[in-house]
Amino acid sequence: MDFVPNHSSDKHEWFIKSENREPGYEDFYIWRDGVNGSEPNNWLSIFKYSAWKYSEKRKQYYYHAFAEAQPDLNYRNPLVVEEMKDVLKFWMDRGVDGFRMDAVTSLFEDEALRNEPKAGNNVPPYENDYLKHIYTKDLPETYDMIYQWRKFIEEYSNEHDGDARIMMTEAYTDIDNTMRYYGEDDRKGAHFTFNFQFITKINKKSTARDIVGAVEEWMYHMPTKYTANWVLGNHDNARVATRFGPERVDGMNMLAAFLPGVMVTYNGEEIGQENGEITWEEGQDPSACNGDPNNFDKVSRDFERTPFHWDNSINAGFNEGRQPWLPVSEKYITNNLAAQKVATSESHFRIYQELLKLRQLPAFTKGSLSISAISTNVLAFIREVVHETSYVVVINIANKEETVDISSLRGVKKSIKVIATDINSNKRN
């Protein structure tokens, strides 16, 4: 379940009570007086403009790291901490098996409300890179809160059926801060924290060495007792087929499927779905709608959020015809799940299913990893475990054929059987 702990809606009863200064709720959110008739400080929201909104009712400003309608909860208030643990319990009582903790880097802010320094010279006000967010992101208290939640979830599981409830965290931050979400010393954190190396470190212009470097950096920094994970895309970034090109979809899915650890799939990646088509008038993403319409195509995250393509019926089978939140991409007519299920030749979906089956083999569930760049465009890695069949994965990221010699790779035998390829390969078994 997507768990968004940083804020509530401004329509939530907690916020309404807090705005009215009802006893017990006065400090549920971050309220401050203005300074010299203006905002309490220079903090900016993720979606541009000031992070402070004035309440005529309360005669104070409230802080919102994201949209104005999403006031930040005050985690320095113990009552808020307990309430949010009750929210976790509410969903676990109803059978939820795990949580994706959204945007956790913003949970805490500097208690003294110090102004954040400018990121550089000659940057116009209220741009996302205008300030260095040293007082509104990655504060030490954030990690403590994550560790508290992990302990609470584990205690709940132990008191009930004993089955583990999984906690994963979404944190866009540097590699060292990211690793802290796993835990520190004897305190446990997330079962895994999202690995965005394939989103932030590589693109369609990257070389095989760049990809290998992104893999090695994660594996080097991650303590061995934890589990790796691989994220190709999500709702905040252009779809994989758009970012890397449709011809690389299967190769990227193989990369995520066959590396050690958890494979994270954003809906549509299993069929090679590309970005949709959205106009300024149809857009919903505040990060784009709050800015210049001329920059909409560059800034909006709506393109990767259009509905999944189930079939070629109205609205791609997403619903029975009512206008969805975002329009369905025109590409659904030819690229949809139903068509790929019945395709006479290989399809992205069939290959994806094949990858999921292969992931269950011992070499992939517990085998070692040896990865290298064979050339500028070709990377290869070996997954092997003692007394079991070893597997070599070779990925060509170029749009042309290339001949490479893999005999020098450790563990490669003279006799090799091809068991899985992408849809464009002529090397089917």
Side-chain angles (χ1 to χ4, degrees):
M1 176 184 170
D2 199 21
F3 184 74
V4 187
N6 181 72
H7 48 263
S8 76
S9 165
D10 62 355
K11 303 295 190 292
H12 196 287
E13 64 174 325
W14 294 349
F15 184 78
I16 294 171
K17 290 178 179 180
S18 187
E19 192 173 32
N20 290 324
R21 297 181 187 268
E22 290 192 22
Y25 291 90
E26 301 96 329
D27 298 322
F28 253 56
Y29 299 82
I30 301 165
W31 295 98
R32 292 293 188 276
D33 294 328
V35 176
N36 297 325
S38 188
E39 292 90 346
N41 61 20
N42 72 343
W43 292 354
L44 303 177
S45 81
I46 301 297
F47 299 141
K48 305 182 190 289
Y49 308 114
S50 173
W52 297 97
K53 174 71 172 178
Y54 188 71
S55 165
E56 289 289 349
K57 184 174 293 184
R58 179 158 167 151
K59 305 302 181 185
Q60 279 188 310
Y61 289 87
Y62 67 84
Y63 174 72
H64 57 92
F66 296 89
E68 289 182 356
Q70 297 170 323
D72 275 46
L73 289 160
N74 178 17
Y75 277 91
R76 298 189 187 280
N77 182 344
L79 295 177
V80 171
V81 173
E82 292 308 309
E83 283 281 8
M84 293 306 285
K85 288 179 180 177
D86 283 346
V87 173
L88 290 172
K89 181 179 183 301
F90 174 91
W91 290 112
M92 289 189 289
D93 284 346
R94 283 152 183 78
V96 166
D97 291 320
F99 300 94
R100 171 193 174 276
M101 303 293 191
D102 181 78
V104 292
T105 60
S106 302
L107 285 180
F108 282 85
E109 303 77 31
D110 179 49
E111 197 166 14
L113 269 65
R114 286 172 285 184
N115 281 335
E116 293 191 314
K118 292 184 178 181
N121 297 323
N122 302 317
V123 181
Y126 300 133
E127 290 295 331
N128 286 340
D129 58 355
Y130 177 52
L131 300 175
K132 293 181 180 178
H133 299 293
I134 60 174
Y135 296 132
T136 55
K137 285 186 64 179
D138 298 323
L139 269 65
E141 298 92 327
T142 296
Y143 302 101
D144 176 73
M145 193 68 256
I146 296 298
Y147 305 158
Q148 285 190 49
W149 284 334
R150 172 65 183 270
K151 181 180 179 182
F152 179 79
I153 291 171
E154 286 201 337
E155 287 175 348
Y156 178 95
S157 294
N158 292 335
E159 291 170 2
H160 291 76
D161 50 27
D163 290 340
R165 272 76 174 175
I166 304 303
M167 185 175 78
M168 50 193 106
T169 48
E170 183 213 33
Y172 284 97
T173 185
D174 63 53
I175 192 77
D176 292 321
N177 280 331
T178 298
M179 292 303 161
R180 294 180 66 186
Y181 285 100
Y182 275 112
E184 288 183 332
D185 300 324
D186 60 344
R187 300 189 72 189
K188 296 179 181 178
H191 288 84
F192 69 88
T193 187
F194 282 115
N195 172 3
F196 295 132
Q197 296 287 93
F198 292 158
I199 294 177
T200 61
K201 298 282 187 176
I202 63 173
N203 54 49
K204 63 174 62 177
K205 295 182 180 180
S206 298
T207 65
R209 179 63 249 174
D210 294 332
I211 296 175
V212 171
V215 172
E216 290 179 333
E217 182 179 36
W218 185 270
M219 298 301 290
Y220 172 79
H221 281 84
M222 187 190 71
T224 54
K225 66 179 179 179
Y226 297 127
T227 301
N229 71 97
W230 310 97
V231 181
L232 297 178
N234 59 18
H235 63 294
D236 289 328
N237 296 274
R239 288 185 175 276
V240 170
T242 298
R243 224 166 61 243
F244 296 106
E247 70 280 0
R248 294 187 178 96
V249 166
D250 297 326
M252 295 305 295
N253 278 334
M254 288 179 186
L255 191 62
F258 294 149
L259 286 170
V262 177
M263 177 189 187
V264 180
T265 296
Y266 178 57
N267 76 87
E269 289 171 6
E270 68 272 48
I271 63 171
Q273 185 170 328
E274 298 177 61
N275 279 3
E277 307 81 29
I278 308 286
T279 65
W280 163 263
E281 292 75 17
E282 295 168 324
Q284 302 285 357
D285 180 13
S287 67
C289 296
N290 288 349
D292 185 349
N294 295 320
N295 292 331
F296 180 74
D297 289 354
K298 298 178 182 178
V299 178
S300 178
R301 299 170 297 174
D302 290 323
F303 301 101
E304 57 264 24
R305 299 177 176 187
T306 57
F308 180 79
H309 302 170
W310 294 99
D311 55 39
N312 65 358
S313 65
I314 189 168
N315 282 342
F318 179 75
N319 63 19
E320 297 180 350
R322 289 190 63 184
Q323 181 68 29
W325 177 250
L326 292 169
V328 176
S329 169
E330 298 171 357
K331 302 180 183 77
Y332 82 91
I333 297 296
T334 55
N335 183 12
N336 61 72
L337 178 62
Q340 292 196 22
K341 279 184 173 181
V342 300
T344 55
S345 59
E346 287 294 353
S347 68
H348 294 308
F349 180 68
R350 284 189 172 184
I351 290 171
Y352 182 85
Q353 289 181 303
E354 197 172 357
L355 303 184
L356 296 190
K357 291 178 181 178
L358 290 170
R359 274 175 54 80
Q360 309 306 313
L361 296 173
F364 295 119
T365 59
K366 55 186 177 181
S368 63
L369 169 70
S370 176
I371 186 169
S372 61
I374 299 179
S375 70
T376 300
N377 296 316
V378 179
L379 64 104
F381 59 93
I382 305 287
R383 299 296 312 278
E384 58 182 342
V385 65
V386 178
H387 304 312
E388 297 284 352
T389 302
S390 299
Y391 293 84
V392 57
V393 181
V394 184
I395 300 174
N396 177 8
I397 61 172
N399 59 358
K400 59 182 180 181
E401 288 189 4
E402 184 169 340
T403 300
V404 294
D405 181 5
I406 63 171
S407 62
S408 62
L409 297 175
R410 180 170 59 87
V412 172
K413 305 292 192 299
K414 290 184 178 180
S415 175
I416 293 179
K417 178 182 180 181
V418 176
I419 60 170
T421 70
D422 75 2
I423 60 174
N424 299 311
S425 176
N426 60 4
K427 292 182 169 51
R428 297 298 296 174
N429 54 326

